[in-house]
Amino acid sequence: MVQTPVKKLTFEEFLEQYPNGGIYELLKGEIIPVEVTRAHKNVSRFLMLAFNDEIRRLGLEYIADKDIIIKTFTDAGQEQGRNPDVSVVSASQWNSNVLAYGALIEAIQLAVEVTSTNWDDDYVDKLDEYQRLGIIEYWIVDYLAIASRAYLGNPKLPTVFVYQLVEGQYQVQKFTGNVRIISTTFPELALTVKEVVAASQIQKL
């Protein structure tokens, strides 16, 4: 029996066929559901609220949200649809077309990925795609210390990696424990990895 190949979706077709409810990404032309734990959601929500507090406190021209789909490309030129756990977008970029849906095709200011069992996707594929798109700052939040020792070292500790785009290439800083996370997007942000890890267990309503 000959199987008919499944048609690979374009980014526009992905948006048109996006299912109701849940979070999905476009990977290799297919719609893939994104399932995360409550702890993962706690960390994402904690960071989004921390960013929004800074935006309001300093009057920054940013918008932080968790439901923004971004069009990226693989090194082979294949269209992907990524949904970072937290996205920070310039207000002018977001408000340039307020009647459009949540998808963006331009680089954003900051993308945050909170790691889970498919952690290599964050460390390899998304890193490559976000760099190629030109996202200015990219956080990998490995609150479970789930990645390999090649990334985390030995012993493995909960870590936040902050990548900054410099002349088209990411330069990375690694933060653990009580060290304050340094961000060019939020230079006055007073946040440590220890606080991020704690947020995974307890989320205030």
Side-chain angles (χ1 to χ4, degrees):
M1 179 177 176
V2 178
Q3 291 185 336
T4 303
V6 177
K7 181 182 181 295
K8 301 297 184 182
L9 300 178
T10 65
F11 183 74
E12 287 70 23
E13 291 168 336
F14 163 62
L15 297 181
E16 292 171 358
Q17 299 180 30
Y18 197 94
N20 292 324
I23 300 172
Y24 299 86
E25 292 191 331
L26 176 67
L27 301 179
K28 299 179 181 179
E30 298 181 13
I31 297 176
I32 305 296
V34 177
E35 298 179 358
V36 297
T37 65
R38 294 178 186 178
H40 185 288
K41 289 184 177 182
N42 281 349
V43 171
S44 300
R45 187 183 301 112
F46 174 78
L47 290 172
M48 185 185 71
L49 292 174
F51 293 162
N52 274 315
D53 285 346
E54 282 296 279
I55 290 169
R56 285 191 295 268
R57 185 177 72 86
L58 299 175
L60 302 175
E61 291 297 314
Y62 293 130
I63 291 169
D65 203 351
K66 60 181 179 61
D67 295 317
I68 298 177
I69 300 170
I70 303 168
K71 181 179 181 180
T72 64
F73 294 91
T74 66
D75 58 356
Q78 185 172 47
E79 296 179 351
Q80 305 267 72
R82 297 297 191 175
N83 190 333
D85 291 305
V86 185
S87 297
V88 178
V89 186
S90 74
S92 59
Q93 179 183 358
W94 183 260
N95 293 325
S96 62
N97 188 356
V98 293
L99 298 180
Y101 291 97
L104 294 172
I105 61 174
E106 310 91 356
I108 64 174
Q109 175 67 31
L110 168 62
V112 176
E113 296 290 357
V114 179
T115 58
S116 53
T117 52
N118 62 335
W119 57 266
D120 53 330
D121 193 28
D122 299 327
Y123 281 89
V124 180
D125 296 336
K126 290 182 181 179
L127 177 72
D128 178 68
E129 291 170 32
Y130 291 169
Q131 178 178 264
R132 181 174 291 104
L133 183 62
I135 292 177
I136 297 169
E137 187 171 336
Y138 173 41
W139 288 26
I140 298 177
V141 180
D142 200 336
Y143 73 102
L144 291 173
I146 200 171
S148 71
R149 289 186 174 87
Y151 293 99
L152 298 176
N154 188 15
K156 297 202 299 182
L157 299 173
T159 304
V160 173
F161 296 89
V162 177
Y163 293 83
Q164 303 285 351
L165 197 67
V166 178
E167 296 182 354
Q169 299 291 321
Y170 276 142
Q171 304 294 324
V172 64
Q173 285 185 286
K174 177 180 175 181
F175 302 94
T176 59
N178 284 315
V179 177
R180 187 172 74 89
I181 301 168
I182 304 301
S183 166
T184 56
T185 302
F186 300 108
E188 297 184 22
L189 184 68
L191 195 62
T192 67
V193 177
K194 186 175 181 180
E195 291 172 319
V196 173
V197 173
S200 69
Q201 302 301 319
I202 301 174
Q203 184 64 53
K204 295 181 181 179
L205 300 178

